[in-house]
Amino acid sequence: MHVIQKKSYINLRMLLRVIGWLLTIEALFMIIPFITGLLYHEQSAWQFLICIGITAGCGSAMVAMKPKSREMGKREAVVLTGLTWVILSLFGMLPFLICGTHLSVTNAFFETMSGFTTTGASVLNSLEGVPHSILIWRCVVQWIGGLGIILFTLAVLPMLNYQGGMQLFNAEVTGITHDKLRPRVSFTAQSLWLVYIGLTSLLIILLAFSKMSLFDSICYGLSTMSTGGFSTSDMSMSQTDSLYIKCILIIFMFIGGVNFSLLYKAIMGNIKQAFTNDALKWYIWIIFICYLILTINLFVRGLAHTIDDVTIDPLFQAISILSSTGLTEPDFSDWGPISVILLVIMMIMGACAGSTSGGAKIDRFIVLFKFLKNEFFKMMHPNAVTTVCINGKGTPTPVLMKTLAFLFIYMIVIVIGGSLLTLIGLPLKDSFFICLSAISNTGLGTDITGVSGNFYYVPDVAKWLLSFIMLIGRLELFTILLLFIPSFWKK
């Protein structure tokens, strides 16, 4: 009788081959800014050809590798996910080094990682004079990272359906549990991306009917649907006073914070499930409560001068922050301490799991609050048997424990990250706020960066640390932190 031994090594060749395919795809996406540069007669267009050549060349070399086995398990999924986001950021920063922005390696990597993780924090001192090709590349990078690089891979490389596809899906997609919409995980990835592409296209078309140029409509469409928040102008939202544009952005920032599996089911006719979803109901209620508090605050502070000041503006700000898009009203810094408190709460919480938003996700806080409610109930009724119910179903104990562990580690990362930033030399208040902004992928800043979040003056060491925090925030802690556990690498 033969004993079947499980594989005890990392299938590195297979990992590099998959990353090679991804680099090839990244090179194809670089054609978009190349064409944009040609249309605007920019020298950067030809410099993008160099970036395309380097990225495609390295990708092709990796694809040519022939692994002994194409099998991938959980360890490969975790390693591949982490490697993919780092390596694509390293190649994605080439345009910032070559195409006229004059950024250092540190700043270029920070800008790219901020884009891929949809954080939206920038080190570009001014966007005036920055080539159109670079501006659209920033937004393309955000759009790719919005729904997920690995999820995109599963959609375009169906072969991974048989080679650890579900492990890859679980390693990147945000949330407590992950729903397969279709029998094969590659079909699920394709379905989610079709919804994402369709919504992005609709948003661009709607913005094109406004005062925005077609170029700005495309850029804002990409960065809004991904809840990233990169802008094309130093003035950001203050460049337009259009009620139409604000209303359109409010709707699509809200949609960006909704679980895309729910959106897919609603499009396929299962609207009832969307309306009975606990996280979506909480999401709507939290937006309403935050909007109400911000509106009252504006009245109290005497900042309510027009009807927009107490209707559209506070609603825009509440949805922008909760969805982690990070677009801000020009006078938001004058809204007072109550607004700052709400800002911090919304940054920590985020929107729904399975969306393009950052934060710890509303779903986990629902589990936390219901768990605490049960614990208080059991203090009075020790023999009672309780369970945490989400969407009418009991939450398994392992899922409950993982959720509580996630929230605990989330706070630990903020404390450690903020402390390290303070030791690097940043002011105490700025350190913890910026760390929270990075892990929640919101991209807002404070005194040292300004509310809009320009991180140019942050020390280089701090930028590398914040890049790491942005990455673990986007990949929801466990996927990256697992790599630092010695037992993970043991045979």
Side-chain angles (χ1 to χ4, degrees):
M1 180 176 178
H2 296 284
V3 178
I4 299 175
Q5 291 185 342
K6 290 185 178 180
K7 164 174 71 66
S8 60
Y9 60 90
I10 299 292
N11 194 346
L12 188 59
R13 280 180 173 267
M14 186 60 196
L15 299 188
L16 292 177
R17 192 162 191 260
V18 175
I19 292 172
W21 280 111
L22 274 169
L23 287 176
T24 306
I25 294 168
E26 185 176 28
L28 291 175
F29 273 109
M30 287 183 181
I31 295 175
I32 297 172
F34 166 67
I35 294 173
T36 302
L38 288 180
L39 292 175
Y40 284 93
H41 308 290
E42 295 173 341
Q43 179 64 31
S44 60
W46 305 109
Q47 294 166 334
F48 256 98
L49 277 181
I50 300 173
C51 303
I52 293 171
I54 294 172
T55 307
C58 293
S60 299
M62 291 184 185
V63 170
M65 290 183 175
K66 301 296 181 184
K68 293 180 181 179
S69 169
R70 293 190 174 186
E71 182 186 353
M72 288 200 298
K74 287 185 178 180
R75 286 205 297 176
E76 280 84 0
V78 173
V79 174
L80 177 61
T81 304
L83 273 178
T84 295
W85 283 75
V86 173
I87 291 176
L88 261 67
S89 293
L90 288 171
F91 282 87
M93 76 179 184
L94 290 177
F96 295 108
L97 295 172
I98 297 173
C99 301
T101 55
H102 309 294
L103 293 182
S104 65
V105 172
T106 298
N107 285 338
F109 183 80
F110 180 91
E111 190 81 11
T112 312
M113 183 59 77
S114 174
F116 272 124
T117 58
T118 71
T119 304
S122 179
V123 293
L124 291 172
N125 253 335
S126 174
L127 296 178
E128 305 304 325
V130 174
H132 289 79
S133 55
I134 289 292
L135 292 176
I136 200 166
W137 176 239
R138 296 164 80 230
C139 297
V140 167
V141 163
Q142 280 198 330
W143 188 77
I144 297 170
L147 207 56
I149 298 170
I150 297 297
L151 193 65
F152 184 79
T153 312
L154 293 170
V156 299
L157 296 178
M159 67 176 185
L160 292 178
N161 189 71
Y162 308 100
Q163 300 159 12
M166 197 61 201
Q167 286 89 344
L168 291 170
F169 184 79
N170 290 334
E172 182 186 67
V173 176
T174 61
I176 301 174
T177 57
H178 306 125
D179 297 328
K180 282 181 66 178
L181 302 175
R182 309 278 293 278
R184 294 182 180 178
V185 69
S186 58
F187 291 167
T188 295
Q190 290 166 8
S191 301
L192 294 175
W193 268 93
L194 283 174
V195 172
Y196 190 49
I197 292 169
L199 289 171
T200 305
S201 302
L202 178 60
L203 173 55
I204 291 172
I205 292 169
L206 291 173
L207 289 176
F209 282 104
S210 70
K211 298 176 183 177
M212 279 188 177
S213 65
L214 178 60
F215 176 79
D216 284 343
S217 299
I218 293 171
C219 289
Y220 271 99
L222 295 173
S223 64
T224 300
M225 202 63 243
S226 63
T227 63
F230 271 152
S231 179
T232 58
S233 167
D234 292 336
M235 300 298 289
S236 187
M237 284 312 301
S238 59
Q239 70 177 329
T240 175
D241 200 23
S242 169
L243 179 62
Y244 172 79
I245 292 175
K246 286 185 178 179
C247 289
I248 293 298
L249 292 180
I250 284 172
I251 293 169
F252 281 87
M253 285 190 297
F254 172 82
I255 293 173
V258 176
N259 188 323
F260 271 71
S261 295
L262 278 183
L263 293 175
Y264 174 80
K265 290 173 183 176
I267 292 171
M268 298 305 292
N270 191 358
I271 300 176
K272 182 180 178 182
Q273 187 169 347
F275 283 106
T276 57
N277 183 267
D278 287 346
L280 182 57
K281 288 189 284 188
W282 276 56
Y283 181 39
I284 294 171
W285 272 108
I286 291 168
I287 289 172
F288 176 73
I289 292 168
C290 291
Y291 161 73
L292 201 60
I293 295 172
L294 287 174
T295 302
I296 294 171
N297 177 59
L298 288 172
F299 270 116
V300 172
R301 294 184 66 84
L303 298 173
H305 305 300
T306 66
I307 189 66
D308 286 0
D309 290 340
V310 291
T311 53
I312 297 300
D313 290 354
L315 182 61
F316 181 95
Q317 203 59 74
I319 295 177
S320 174
I321 296 170
L322 195 61
S323 67
S324 80
T325 309
L327 294 173
T328 56
E329 288 295 317
D331 59 347
F332 179 71
S333 56
D334 300 326
W335 285 14
I338 291 179
S339 299
V340 174
I341 293 169
L342 271 184
L343 169 67
V344 171
I345 293 172
M346 288 189 287
M347 283 169 63
I348 293 173
M349 187 166 284
C352 303
S355 67
T356 60
S357 68
K361 306 295 184 298
I362 289 172
D363 307 58
R364 291 191 175 92
F365 283 97
I366 295 174
V367 171
L368 174 64
F369 293 145
K370 290 192 174 185
F371 171 76
L372 293 176
K373 178 184 175 183
N374 286 347
E375 290 303 302
F376 280 116
F377 180 80
K378 284 195 286 187
M379 287 181 184
M380 299 299 295
H381 307 85
N383 297 323
V385 177
T386 60
T387 184
V388 174
C389 289
I390 305 294
N391 301 323
K393 298 178 181 178
T395 305
T397 301
V399 174
L400 176 61
M401 293 299 104
K402 187 178 179 181
T403 301
L404 298 178
F406 177 94
L407 293 172
F408 181 67
I409 297 172
Y410 197 84
M411 301 312 296
I412 287 178
V413 172
I414 294 173
V415 171
I416 294 176
S419 301
L420 290 174
L421 290 171
T422 304
L423 292 174
I424 290 170
L426 272 64
L428 183 66
K429 180 185 72 173
D430 289 347
S431 296
F432 285 90
F433 188 90
I434 291 172
C435 183
L436 170 59
S437 179
I439 196 172
S440 65
N441 302 133
T442 308
L444 297 178
T446 52
D447 297 342
I448 194 171
T449 63
V451 174
S452 59
N454 190 295
F455 287 70
Y456 180 81
Y457 296 104
V458 174
D460 284 357
V461 177
K463 287 172 187 168
W464 286 105
L465 176 60
L466 288 170
S467 297
F468 175 71
I469 294 172
M470 287 188 285
L471 179 60
I472 64 175
R474 173 59 183 84
L475 297 181
E476 301 222 308
L477 307 184
F478 294 116
T479 300
I480 295 298
L481 295 182
L482 261 176
L483 299 175
F484 296 90
I485 304 299
S487 59
F488 176 82
W489 300 99
K490 289 181 180 179
K491 294 184 178 181

